[in-house]
């Protein structure tokens, strides 16, 4: 994803979602492994996270144990403003 694409997503209300996925290893179901996933997503419905979880359950052999996630908007309404002006150094 390009920088312009990421900025457009942030301005549309997307934030960075990080999920810690704990899953059972396929060859050793008694052992748990951690996978970290990050993507721009929209709270509170989290469509990208749910698509990834659906993909995991259909295509990955490791059975899910738990998913913990956090979400943070990188640009909040009070942090973005249009500034008109010019600064000259010399």
């Amino acid at each position: 994803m390009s920088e312009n694409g990421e900025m457009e997503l942030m301005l549309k209300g997307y934030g960075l979602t990080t999920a810690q996925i704990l899953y059972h290893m396929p060859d050793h179901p008694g052992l748990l492994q951690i996978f970290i996933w990050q993507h721009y997503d929209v709270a509170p419905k989290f469509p990208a996270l749910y698509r990834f979880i659906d993909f995991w359950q259909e295509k990955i052999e490791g059975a899910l144990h738990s998913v913990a996630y956090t979400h943070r908007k990188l640009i909040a309404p009070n942090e973005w403003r249009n500034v008109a002006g010019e600064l000259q150094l010399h």
Side-chain angles (χ1 to χ4, degrees):
M1 192 176 300
S2 69
E3 279 189 38
N4 290 337
E6 292 175 359
M7 180 61 76
E8 288 176 22
L9 288 174
M10 287 185 268
L11 291 173
K12 290 179 182 176
Y14 284 71
L16 188 62
T17 300
T18 304
Q20 176 182 300
I21 299 169
L22 198 60
Y23 66 95
H24 296 274
M25 295 186 67
D27 295 338
H28 304 285
L31 296 177
L32 295 174
Q33 184 75 24
I34 294 176
F35 179 80
I36 302 296
W37 175 89
Q38 280 190 323
H39 202 277
Y40 288 102
D41 210 351
V42 181
K45 294 189 178 190
F46 300 105
L49 177 58
Y50 282 106
R51 274 194 309 272
F52 182 75
I53 291 172
D54 290 341
F55 166 80
W56 184 290
Q57 291 176 334
E58 291 175 14
K59 306 288 184 184
I60 308 291
E61 291 182 25
L64 292 175
H65 176 272
S66 61
V67 177
Y69 65 91
T70 184
H71 178 80
R72 172 83 168 119
K73 283 191 174 184
L74 301 177
I75 296 179
N78 62 347
E79 296 176 22
W80 180 260
R81 61 182 179 179
N82 186 13
V83 176
E86 185 176 332
L87 177 64
Q88 294 184 2
L89 298 175
H90 300 283

